[in-house]
Amino acid sequence: MSERHVALVTGGGRGIGAAIARRLARAGAAVLVAARSQEACMAVAEALRAEGGTAWPLHLDVGDPESIAEAVAEARELSGGVGPIDWLVNNAGIVQSAPFLAHQRETGVDLYEKHLRINFHGARWMVEALVPAMIEHGYGRVVNVASSAGLQSYAYAAAYGASKHALVGYSQAAAQELSKTQVTMNLVCPHYVDSPMTDDSVARIMAKTRRGEAETRRFLASQNPGGTLIGVGEVAEGVWELLSGERNGAILELVGGKGLLPPGKSAIWLRMTPIEPAGWPRPKGYSDGMLAPAGARILFVAGQIGWDGDRKLVGAGDFAAQFRQALRNVVAVVRAAGGSPEDVARVTLYVTDKHQYVAARETIGAAWRELLGRHFPAMALVEVSGLLEPGALVEIEATAAIPSSTR
């Protein structure tokens, strides 16, 4: 691994991308500032060089595979004297809103094809162009800048949301395969950012609703969980943390931080990261390890059995019914601490008869999916001769890592 990193940042000509390029240059990386606008990427690269950094402009349209091939060849030539490109930040993106059934009539184009080509396929093509060399070199970091629209849904943004959901799903699947290498792939998912892209959204909303600019910006800020628009520098800081760390498959969700944090800081939710040693076969239904986000609060959940809110045991002699109630109780304790099922890091099941567990596996699986979805923490199953509460067939103990609401 080179002592100096070489980063390629797409969409680097303005807003979030320019802020990311500046943050990485300040950290000592040599930065390839890529954008469709040659003038914009040249201006950013010149500004970084004026600040003492190493930077090159790179004309690149991520929606055009031929442009990507040409730009990557040029990028390798430009950076060859420093080292291989070992950091990739896929930040280029577009957003255009319209009713999901009238998108083509209102805009004159297929918004789904347009958004998927730039926001998803563009990032995928960049990965395919650069990651094989990272794997061969033995080191690499990829951060895909998605959006909260990749984690939830917004009206009139179906095409944008579809493209960002695709990017999130692709990134997490790719991260699983990359776990056997020294290359990582992570995601940053900001809510509304104070950026040129949001300025464009403000203009569209004003045109349709006749709201004033200040009112429109306040409305968008109010949609963020933290109540404020996120600064481009906050997104850049999140990207830097993921590039400089060891996480793989993580989602860094930036939510804003009104009343929570000092100026210039954003509340974050960083999700749990499954850990699997390179070369190990991937387990089914559990993880070998779970890495909690930095600053998380640890919650220890006492052994929960299948009793209801009145401390009365349910499902006499019914293992599946008791398992479901006990797991529901664990989730209830986690939620009471301000967490969610995805924050459960470790589960230990104590059962009085492992054959009952095996026999009820299908029903248990359905209860698990209902209460924890497809979140599979580190787990252990222990058969015991008996439990303290008469009639109890299963007891579930858990540890959760509740992400801090501030940073």
Side-chain angles (χ1 to χ4, degrees):
M1 181 177 65
S2 171
E3 291 185 2
R4 190 174 192 188
H5 298 289
V6 177
L8 192 157
V9 181
T10 70
R14 65 173 193 163
I16 293 173
I20 292 170
R22 185 170 295 108
R23 178 65 180 90
L24 301 188
R26 195 169 72 241
V31 184
L32 292 146
V33 183
R36 283 186 295 177
S37 167
Q38 199 157 12
E39 294 78 9
C41 59
M42 285 180 65
V44 173
E46 288 173 2
L48 297 184
R49 289 197 292 263
E51 295 170 4
T54 301
W56 307 275
L58 188 66
H59 182 238
L60 167 64
D61 179 357
V62 299
D64 180 355
E66 290 186 8
S67 175
I68 289 175
E70 293 172 1
V72 167
E74 181 183 355
R76 286 177 171 146
E77 185 177 340
L78 288 169
S79 63
V82 179
I85 301 168
D86 55 3
W87 285 358
L88 169 63
V89 182
N90 281 312
N91 168 72
I94 59 169
V95 59
Q96 191 171 353
S97 59
F100 79 102
L101 290 177
H103 66 100
Q104 202 151 2
R105 183 173 68 247
E106 286 205 0
T107 66
V109 298
D110 185 335
L111 281 190
Y112 294 92
E113 191 280 332
K114 183 177 180 181
H115 281 78
L116 284 165
R117 187 172 187 84
I118 301 297
N119 296 349
F120 167 60
H121 291 298
R124 173 179 69 84
W125 288 330
M126 291 300 301
V127 167
E128 291 172 356
L130 291 174
V131 166
M134 293 182 187
I135 294 173
E136 184 178 354
H137 180 61
Y139 173 84
R141 297 287 181 265
V142 179
V143 174
N144 295 325
V145 180
S147 165
S148 60
L151 305 175
Q152 62 188 66
S153 301
Y154 296 95
Y156 304 104
Y160 180 69
S163 67
K164 293 300 187 179
H165 271 80
L167 182 58
V168 170
Y170 166 81
S171 300
Q172 294 206 290
Q176 291 183 20
E177 295 186 42
L178 289 171
S179 66
K180 300 176 182 179
T181 74
Q182 297 303 310
V183 179
T184 67
M185 185 178 296
N186 295 293
L187 287 149
V188 174
C189 293
H191 287 250
Y192 286 108
V193 179
D194 191 1
S195 69
M197 184 176 284
T198 297
D199 293 341
D200 295 342
S201 297
V202 167
R204 286 194 297 271
I205 293 171
M206 289 171 60
K208 289 189 176 183
T209 66
R210 297 190 177 182
R211 288 175 173 168
E213 181 178 355
E215 181 186 0
T216 302
R217 295 182 74 82
R218 283 196 300 271
F219 167 74
L220 292 179
S222 72
Q223 303 306 297
N224 284 357
T228 63
L229 292 177
I230 297 158
V232 294
E234 299 167 42
V235 183
E237 195 64 33
V239 170
W240 158 248
E241 288 186 13
L242 293 175
L243 287 173
S244 59
E246 299 296 326
R247 289 184 176 277
N248 183 42
I251 297 177
L252 180 64
E253 185 180 0
L254 296 166
V255 301
K258 182 178 180 180
L260 297 175
L261 303 165
K265 294 294 183 181
S266 175
I268 64 167
W269 296 336
L270 183 57
R271 301 188 172 192
M272 202 80 63
T273 306
I275 300 297
E276 304 298 340
W280 284 24
R282 186 163 185 81
K284 295 182 179 180
Y286 69 96
S287 296
D288 285 310
M290 296 294 285
L291 182 62
R297 296 168 295 148
I298 303 302
L299 172 69
F300 300 97
V301 183
Q304 298 292 320
I305 62 173
W307 54 21
D308 59 20
D310 295 322
R311 293 289 202 258
K312 293 181 179 179
L313 201 62
V314 304
D318 187 337
F319 182 91
Q322 289 195 20
F323 175 90
R324 185 178 186 280
Q325 183 63 48
L327 188 60
R328 177 186 288 168
N329 294 343
V330 168
V331 172
V333 174
V334 171
R335 290 194 185 281
S340 67
E342 292 79 12
D343 298 327
V344 176
R346 181 176 181 274
V347 169
T348 302
L349 307 175
Y350 299 96
V351 302
T352 58
D353 186 343
K354 66 179 181 182
H355 299 293
Q356 285 186 318
Y357 173 85
V358 173
R361 190 176 294 176
E362 185 174 338
T363 308
I364 287 171
W368 186 280
R369 289 189 295 274
E370 175 192 346
L371 296 167
L372 274 82
R374 296 195 60 78
H375 174 64
F376 302 110
M379 294 178 63
L381 175 68
V382 182
E383 186 178 37
V384 296
S385 60
L387 296 169
L388 183 62
E389 187 70 20
L393 303 175
V394 57
E395 185 168 336
I396 305 178
E397 185 181 55
T399 303
I402 313 297
S404 173
S405 63
T406 64
R407 63 187 284 266

